[in-house]
Amino acid sequence: MTEGPDFLASLCLPAEGGPISRDIAAIAALARDCAARMRYFEILYVVDEGSRSAVDACAPQLAAIPNLRILFVRNNTSFYQRRTIAAGEAIGDVVAIGSFAELARVDLPALAADSFRTDQVLLAHRVGGPGVTLLYPLLRALSSHRVNGRDMRSIAFPRVRLVQALARESATIDLRFEPKRGECYVRVPVAHARTRQPRGHAHRLQLLAEIISGASSAYLRAYAVISLFAFLAAIAYGLYAIVVVTTFRHVQPGWFTTNLIQSGSIGFLALGFAIFALGLARLLEQRERGSTLGIVDEIGNINFFRSAPELNVEVGRGTTEAGVDLESPKASR
C-alpha cells in the first residue's frame, strides 16, 4: 500500500466495444492492483444496456471484484459521452479516466495518486513511435483545444479540477484534450508500444463529432456575424438601387423593383438567421449539463468500511464511545 495521506480514487473505464468478458478480466486485474496499493478506491465500468446479458453472464467474476460500480447507459451513447457520465458519477477525491486499450501501458492507480499529490490534471502522452496523421492538426484548428495525436485517453483529475471541467459546455473534450485557454494539463510520458487500438477509425469519427458539437455555440455565433454582414450588404444594395433610380434618367424597366425585392428578401432572411443563430447559441450555453441523463441502471459491490478498525471505529456489539458502553442500560438514562 502506498505511503501518504489517504484519499478515495475513482477509476473510470468506459466500454470500448470489446468483449465484455475480456473487459471484466481486465477490471479484475486492475482491482487486485488497486487493493494492493490503495486503501480506498472505486472502479466505474460504463457499458451499453444492450450488453446487460453479457454482464450477467460474468456474475461470478463480478462478485469477486471489490468496489466495482457498473453503469448501464443507453445504446446510442457515444464513447466520449460514456467518459463524461463516468466522471460525473465518480465520488473520489481524484478521478482517473482510463482505456482498456491502454491499461497495459498506463499505470492508472499511479496516475491517480500523482494527480492527488500534485493537485494537477495529468494526461498520459505517448512518446516515440510513428508520426500522427494530418487529421489531428485539422481538428486542432477547428477546436478550442490542443488536439494532439500523441495524447492518450488516460487522464486524471483532482476533484476541484473535475468539477470545473464538468461545468463547461465542452466537458466531453475537456476530459480528453487540454483547452487552449484556462486549465493547463501536465503530460506524463508513456513509451510507445506497437499495438493496434481497436476501432481506431470509429473513435476518430466520434472525436470529430464531439469536437464539432462541443464548439457548436462558437460556430453559431460566427454564423450570426456572417449573417449580419449579409444583412448590411443587402441594405447597402437596396440603397444603391434607390440612388440609381433617383439619379439616372434611363433605367431598365423592372430593374429597380427586381433589385429592391432581392435586397429586401436577402436582408430579411439574413437578419432572421442571425437572430436564430444567436438565440440557439445562448440556449446551448445555458443548458444544464445532465451527466446522469443517459444512465439506465446501476449495480455495484461497494464497501469502503472494510478498514473501519484501522480508523478506530468499532462496529461490533458492546461498542464503546469515549469510555461509555452504548449498549449498557445506564448509558440510555
Side-chain angles (χ1 to χ4, degrees), residues 203-270:
H203 277 297
R204 290 189 180 96
L205 291 176
Q206 291 183 4
L207 177 61
L208 177 61
E210 291 296 334
I211 287 177
I212 293 177
S213 63
S216 57
S217 62
Y219 296 149
L220 285 170
R221 292 187 180 276
Y223 178 78
V225 172
I226 295 174
S227 298
L228 288 176
F229 277 113
F231 170 73
L232 295 177
I235 295 299
Y237 189 76
L239 295 176
Y240 164 75
I242 294 176
V243 170
V244 169
V245 78
T246 56
T247 303
F248 293 86
R249 291 184 177 182
H250 302 287
V251 178
Q252 188 71 21
W255 179 88
F256 173 72
T257 55
T258 300
N259 285 275
L260 190 63
I261 291 174
Q262 289 178 349
S263 171
S265 59
I266 293 175
F268 177 78
L269 291 175

Side-chain angles (χ1 to χ4, degrees), residues 15 17 20 45-53 55 71-78 82:
I20 299 298
Y45 179 45
V46 184
V47 63
D48 295 339
E49 60 178 333
S51 303
R52 183 184 292 268
S53 58
V55 173
L71 305 178
F72 293 99
V73 297
R74 296 170 183 168
N75 291 328
N76 59 351
T77 306
S78 70
R82 290 196 292 267

Side-chain angles (χ1 to χ4, degrees), residues 8-12 41-44 90-97 159:
L8 173 59
S10 296
L11 309 181
C12 305
F41 71 93
E42 66 168 352
I43 300 176
L44 287 86
I91 62 174
D93 300 303
V94 60
V95 177
I97 307 174
R159 168 55 56 181

Side-chain angles (χ1 to χ4, degrees), residues 22-279:
R22 188 174 64 187
D23 290 353
I24 298 301
I27 291 175
L30 178 62
R32 290 192 295 269
D33 188 20
C34 291
R37 301 163 60 183
M38 294 181 172
R39 180 169 297 177
Y40 307 109
F41 71 93
E42 66 168 352
I43 300 176
L44 287 86
Y45 179 45
V46 184
V47 63
D48 295 339
E49 60 178 333
S51 303
R52 183 184 292 268
S53 58
V55 173
D56 293 339
C58 299
Q61 294 88 346
L62 294 174
I65 301 177
N67 300 339
L68 172 64
R69 297 169 58 192
I70 301 178
L71 305 178
F72 293 99
V73 297
R74 296 170 183 168
N75 291 328
N76 59 351
T77 306
S78 70
F79 171 75
Y80 290 97
Q81 290 172 341
R82 290 196 292 267
R83 287 167 58 96
T84 307
I85 290 174
E89 287 296 297
I91 62 174
D93 300 303
V94 60
V95 177
I97 307 174
S99 170
F100 287 103
E102 298 173 355
L103 281 180
R105 290 177 287 164
V106 179
D107 190 346
L108 205 59
L111 193 69
D114 291 341
S115 178
F116 177 80
R117 177 178 53 83
T118 61
D119 195 31
Q120 293 178 324
V121 180
L122 302 184
L123 174 61
H125 183 75
R126 185 175 59 252
V127 295
V132 298
T133 62
L134 296 177
L135 175 64
Y136 290 100
L138 176 61
L139 294 178
R140 187 183 304 113
L142 294 175
S143 173
S144 59
H145 294 73
R146 294 184 175 90
V147 180
N148 191 331
R150 297 189 183 276
D151 287 343
M152 305 174 73
R153 300 173 193 146
S154 300
I155 189 171
F157 284 84
R159 168 55 56 181
V160 175
R161 306 291 192 276
L162 178 66
V163 171
Q164 295 172 352
L166 291 175
R168 293 191 287 267
E169 181 186 352
S170 58
T172 54
I173 306 301
D174 288 350
L175 300 183
R176 178 68 172 86
F177 294 110
E178 178 185 4
K180 292 180 180 177
R181 296 181 179 179
E183 185 71 48
C184 293
Y185 296 178
V186 177
R187 287 170 171 79
V188 178
V190 177
H192 173 74
R194 294 182 178 274
T195 56
R196 177 183 175 86
Q197 294 185 350
R199 302 177 65 223
H201 295 293
H203 277 297
R204 290 189 180 96
L205 291 176
Q206 291 183 4
L207 177 61
L208 177 61
E210 291 296 334
I211 287 177
I212 293 177
S213 63
S216 57
S217 62
Y219 296 149
L220 285 170
R221 292 187 180 276
Y223 178 78
V225 172
I226 295 174
S227 298
L228 288 176
F229 277 113
F231 170 73
L232 295 177
I235 295 299
Y237 189 76
L239 295 176
Y240 164 75
I242 294 176
V243 170
V244 169
V245 78
T246 56
T247 303
F248 293 86
R249 291 184 177 182
H250 302 287
V251 178
Q252 188 71 21
W255 179 88
F256 173 72
T257 55
T258 300
N259 285 275
L260 190 63
I261 291 174
Q262 289 178 349
S263 171
S265 59
I266 293 175
F268 177 78
L269 291 175
L271 181 61
F273 284 141
I275 295 174
F276 177 77
L278 287 174

